PDB file of all heavy atoms in Angstrom:
ATOM      1  N   TYR A1072      -5.187  26.975  -4.179  1.00  0.00           N
ATOM      2  CA  TYR A1072      -6.124  25.869  -3.845  1.00  0.00           C
ATOM      3  C   TYR A1072      -6.843  25.485  -5.168  1.00  0.00           C
ATOM      4  O   TYR A1072      -6.957  24.275  -5.554  1.00  0.00           O
ATOM      5  CB  TYR A1072      -6.821  26.131  -2.718  1.00  0.00           C
ATOM      6  CG  TYR A1072      -7.727  24.929  -2.367  1.00  0.00           C
ATOM      7  CD1 TYR A1072      -7.098  23.740  -1.920  1.00  0.00           C
ATOM      8  CD2 TYR A1072      -9.103  24.950  -2.690  1.00  0.00           C
ATOM      9  CE1 TYR A1072      -7.964  22.536  -1.581  1.00  0.00           C
ATOM     10  CE2 TYR A1072      -9.928  23.733  -2.439  1.00  0.00           C
ATOM     11  CZ  TYR A1072      -9.311  22.624  -1.862  1.00  0.00           C
ATOM     12  OH  TYR A1072     -10.081  21.561  -1.656  1.00  0.00           O
ATOM     13  N   SER A1076      -6.573  22.067  -7.230  1.00  0.00           N
ATOM     14  CA  SER A1076      -7.740  21.109  -7.413  1.00  0.00           C
ATOM     15  C   SER A1076      -7.956  20.823  -8.835  1.00  0.00           C
ATOM     16  O   SER A1076      -8.228  19.799  -9.312  1.00  0.00           O
ATOM     17  CB  SER A1076      -8.952  21.841  -6.879  1.00  0.00           C
ATOM     18  OG  SER A1076     -10.006  20.949  -6.652  1.00  0.00           O
ATOM     19  N   ASP A1080      -7.854  17.300 -11.237  1.00  0.00           N
ATOM     20  CA  ASP A1080      -8.966  16.981 -12.097  1.00  0.00           C
ATOM     21  C   ASP A1080      -8.510  16.791 -13.534  1.00  0.00           C
ATOM     22  O   ASP A1080      -8.924  15.741 -14.199  1.00  0.00           O
ATOM     23  CB  ASP A1080     -10.068  17.986 -12.063  1.00  0.00           C
ATOM     24  CG  ASP A1080     -10.793  18.060 -10.737  1.00  0.00           C
ATOM     25  OD1 ASP A1080     -10.648  17.153  -9.965  1.00  0.00           O
ATOM     26  OD2 ASP A1080     -11.481  19.121 -10.473  1.00  0.00           O
ATOM     27  N   ARG A1084      -8.454  13.400 -15.941  1.00  0.00           N
ATOM     28  CA  ARG A1084      -9.015  13.227 -17.183  1.00  0.00           C
ATOM     29  C   ARG A1084      -8.142  12.898 -18.267  1.00  0.00           C
ATOM     30  O   ARG A1084      -8.472  12.695 -19.396  1.00  0.00           O
ATOM     31  CB  ARG A1084      -9.691  14.603 -17.563  1.00  0.00           C
ATOM     32  CG  ARG A1084     -11.030  15.049 -16.906  1.00  0.00           C
ATOM     33  CD  ARG A1084     -11.706  16.197 -17.585  1.00  0.00           C
ATOM     34  NE  ARG A1084     -10.785  17.279 -17.967  1.00  0.00           N
ATOM     35  CZ  ARG A1084     -10.579  18.328 -17.241  1.00  0.00           C
ATOM     36  NH1 ARG A1084     -11.027  18.342 -16.002  1.00  0.00           N
ATOM     37  NH2 ARG A1084      -9.688  19.299 -17.680  1.00  0.00           N
ATOM     38  N   TYR A1107       0.032  19.916   0.705  1.00  0.00           N
ATOM     39  CA  TYR A1107      -0.295  19.814  -0.659  1.00  0.00           C
ATOM     40  C   TYR A1107       0.760  20.004  -1.667  1.00  0.00           C
ATOM     41  O   TYR A1107       0.640  19.596  -2.901  1.00  0.00           O
ATOM     42  CB  TYR A1107      -1.548  20.706  -1.103  1.00  0.00           C
ATOM     43  CG  TYR A1107      -2.844  20.353  -0.358  1.00  0.00           C
ATOM     44  CD1 TYR A1107      -2.958  19.285   0.480  1.00  0.00           C
ATOM     45  CD2 TYR A1107      -3.937  21.208  -0.630  1.00  0.00           C
ATOM     46  CE1 TYR A1107      -4.295  19.016   1.162  1.00  0.00           C
ATOM     47  CE2 TYR A1107      -5.193  20.937  -0.015  1.00  0.00           C
ATOM     48  CZ  TYR A1107      -5.306  19.852   0.865  1.00  0.00           C
ATOM     49  OH  TYR A1107      -6.569  19.495   1.435  1.00  0.00           O
ATOM     50  N   ARG A1173       8.618   1.665   1.067  1.00  0.00           N
ATOM     51  CA  ARG A1173       7.314   0.977   1.168  1.00  0.00           C
ATOM     52  C   ARG A1173       7.421  -0.246   0.183  1.00  0.00           C
ATOM     53  O   ARG A1173       7.192  -0.039  -0.957  1.00  0.00           O
ATOM     54  CB  ARG A1173       6.139   1.894   0.773  1.00  0.00           C
ATOM     55  CG  ARG A1173       4.987   1.713   1.716  1.00  0.00           C
ATOM     56  CD  ARG A1173       3.805   2.655   1.381  1.00  0.00           C
ATOM     57  NE  ARG A1173       2.641   1.820   1.064  1.00  0.00           N
ATOM     58  CZ  ARG A1173       2.157   0.917   1.978  1.00  0.00           C
ATOM     59  NH1 ARG A1173       2.696   0.736   3.146  1.00  0.00           N
ATOM     60  NH2 ARG A1173       1.149   0.234   1.587  1.00  0.00           N
ATOM     61  N   ASP A1264      -8.562  -4.165 -31.013  1.00  0.00           N
ATOM     62  CA  ASP A1264      -8.256  -3.410 -29.887  1.00  0.00           C
ATOM     63  C   ASP A1264      -6.668  -3.078 -29.968  1.00  0.00           C
ATOM     64  O   ASP A1264      -5.903  -4.039 -29.638  1.00  0.00           O
ATOM     65  CB  ASP A1264      -8.527  -4.118 -28.527  1.00  0.00           C
ATOM     66  CG  ASP A1264      -8.479  -3.231 -27.268  1.00  0.00           C
ATOM     67  OD1 ASP A1264      -7.235  -2.494 -27.225  1.00  0.00           O
ATOM     68  OD2 ASP A1264      -9.278  -3.063 -26.464  1.00  0.00           O
TER      69      ASP A1264
ATOM     70  N   LEU B1312      -4.461  16.718   6.242  1.00  0.00           N
ATOM     71  CA  LEU B1312      -4.816  16.011   5.065  1.00  0.00           C
ATOM     72  C   LEU B1312      -3.722  16.093   4.010  1.00  0.00           C
ATOM     73  O   LEU B1312      -3.168  17.100   3.835  1.00  0.00           O
ATOM     74  CB  LEU B1312      -6.121  16.415   4.438  1.00  0.00           C
ATOM     75  CG  LEU B1312      -7.416  16.306   5.207  1.00  0.00           C
ATOM     76  CD1 LEU B1312      -8.538  17.152   4.691  1.00  0.00           C
ATOM     77  CD2 LEU B1312      -7.876  14.851   5.175  1.00  0.00           C
ATOM     78  N   TYR B1397      -0.555   2.708  -4.203  1.00  0.00           N
ATOM     79  CA  TYR B1397       0.403   1.794  -3.488  1.00  0.00           C
ATOM     80  C   TYR B1397       1.139   2.531  -2.366  1.00  0.00           C
ATOM     81  O   TYR B1397       1.714   1.883  -1.442  1.00  0.00           O
ATOM     82  CB  TYR B1397       1.468   1.340  -4.505  1.00  0.00           C
ATOM     83  CG  TYR B1397       0.847   0.286  -5.285  1.00  0.00           C
ATOM     84  CD1 TYR B1397       0.664   0.350  -6.657  1.00  0.00           C
ATOM     85  CD2 TYR B1397       0.568  -0.974  -4.665  1.00  0.00           C
ATOM     86  CE1 TYR B1397       0.113  -0.690  -7.436  1.00  0.00           C
ATOM     87  CE2 TYR B1397      -0.148  -2.026  -5.359  1.00  0.00           C
ATOM     88  CZ  TYR B1397      -0.271  -1.857  -6.752  1.00  0.00           C
ATOM     89  OH  TYR B1397      -0.865  -2.907  -7.560  1.00  0.00           O
ATOM     90  N   LEU B1399      -0.370   4.020  -0.088  1.00  0.00           N
ATOM     91  CA  LEU B1399      -1.360   4.095   1.150  1.00  0.00           C
ATOM     92  C   LEU B1399      -1.379   2.728   1.615  1.00  0.00           C
ATOM     93  O   LEU B1399      -1.008   1.592   1.081  1.00  0.00           O
ATOM     94  CB  LEU B1399      -2.670   4.500   0.616  1.00  0.00           C
ATOM     95  CG  LEU B1399      -2.734   5.842  -0.128  1.00  0.00           C
ATOM     96  CD1 LEU B1399      -4.313   6.139  -0.250  1.00  0.00           C
ATOM     97  CD2 LEU B1399      -2.116   6.947   0.709  1.00  0.00           C
ATOM     98  N   PHE B1417     -11.122  20.880   3.321  1.00  0.00           N
ATOM     99  CA  PHE B1417     -10.113  20.466   2.340  1.00  0.00           C
ATOM    100  C   PHE B1417      -9.270  21.639   1.913  1.00  0.00           C
ATOM    101  O   PHE B1417      -8.085  21.450   1.645  1.00  0.00           O
ATOM    102  CB  PHE B1417     -10.976  19.981   1.086  1.00  0.00           C
ATOM    103  CG  PHE B1417     -11.750  18.781   1.361  1.00  0.00           C
ATOM    104  CD1 PHE B1417     -13.147  18.802   1.204  1.00  0.00           C
ATOM    105  CD2 PHE B1417     -11.188  17.625   1.842  1.00  0.00           C
ATOM    106  CE1 PHE B1417     -13.821  17.706   1.437  1.00  0.00           C
ATOM    107  CE2 PHE B1417     -11.933  16.514   2.103  1.00  0.00           C
ATOM    108  CZ  PHE B1417     -13.382  16.451   1.930  1.00  0.00           C
ATOM    109  N   GLU B1489     -12.538  10.937 -21.464  1.00  0.00           N
ATOM    110  CA  GLU B1489     -11.006  10.835 -21.723  1.00  0.00           C
ATOM    111  C   GLU B1489     -10.492  10.432 -20.324  1.00  0.00           C
ATOM    112  O   GLU B1489      -9.917  11.295 -19.536  1.00  0.00           O
ATOM    113  CB  GLU B1489     -10.441  12.107 -21.973  1.00  0.00           C
ATOM    114  CG  GLU B1489     -11.147  13.036 -22.999  1.00  0.00           C
ATOM    115  CD  GLU B1489     -10.574  14.446 -22.948  1.00  0.00           C
ATOM    116  OE1 GLU B1489      -9.392  14.640 -22.933  1.00  0.00           O
ATOM    117  OE2 GLU B1489     -11.380  15.369 -22.940  1.00  0.00           O
ATOM    118  N   ARG B1495     -13.139   1.404 -20.532  1.00  0.00           N
ATOM    119  CA  ARG B1495     -13.950   1.526 -21.709  1.00  0.00           C
ATOM    120  C   ARG B1495     -15.420   1.668 -21.304  1.00  0.00           C
ATOM    121  O   ARG B1495     -15.928   1.306 -20.284  1.00  0.00           O
ATOM    122  CB  ARG B1495     -13.771   0.431 -22.586  1.00  0.00           C
ATOM    123  CG  ARG B1495     -12.402   0.509 -23.368  1.00  0.00           C
ATOM    124  CD  ARG B1495     -11.985  -0.709 -24.080  1.00  0.00           C
ATOM    125  NE  ARG B1495     -11.496  -1.710 -23.137  1.00  0.00           N
ATOM    126  CZ  ARG B1495     -11.106  -2.898 -23.428  1.00  0.00           C
ATOM    127  NH1 ARG B1495     -11.119  -3.283 -24.804  1.00  0.00           N
ATOM    128  NH2 ARG B1495     -10.662  -3.768 -22.642  1.00  0.00           N
ATOM    129  N   ARG B1542     -13.934  18.547  -3.107  1.00  0.00           N
ATOM    130  CA  ARG B1542     -12.818  19.457  -2.913  1.00  0.00           C
ATOM    131  C   ARG B1542     -13.173  20.864  -2.764  1.00  0.00           C
ATOM    132  O   ARG B1542     -12.620  21.698  -2.223  1.00  0.00           O
ATOM    133  CB  ARG B1542     -11.683  19.209  -3.846  1.00  0.00           C
ATOM    134  CG  ARG B1542     -10.602  18.385  -3.365  1.00  0.00           C
ATOM    135  CD  ARG B1542      -9.230  18.562  -4.336  1.00  0.00           C
ATOM    136  NE  ARG B1542      -9.589  18.496  -5.656  1.00  0.00           N
ATOM    137  CZ  ARG B1542      -9.595  17.281  -6.318  1.00  0.00           C
ATOM    138  NH1 ARG B1542      -9.467  16.158  -5.774  1.00  0.00           N
ATOM    139  NH2 ARG B1542      -9.887  17.348  -7.576  1.00  0.00           N
TER     140      ARG B1542
END
Side-chain angles (χ1 to χ4, degrees):
Chain A
Y1072 178 71
S1076 194
D1080 292 344
R1084 288 197 312 272
Y1107 289 0
R1173 223 180 120 51
D1264 185 312
Chain B
L1312 291 168
Y1397 286 113
L1399 307 187
F1417 300 118
E1489 316 165 48
R1495 281 171 287 183
R1542 258 197 312 274

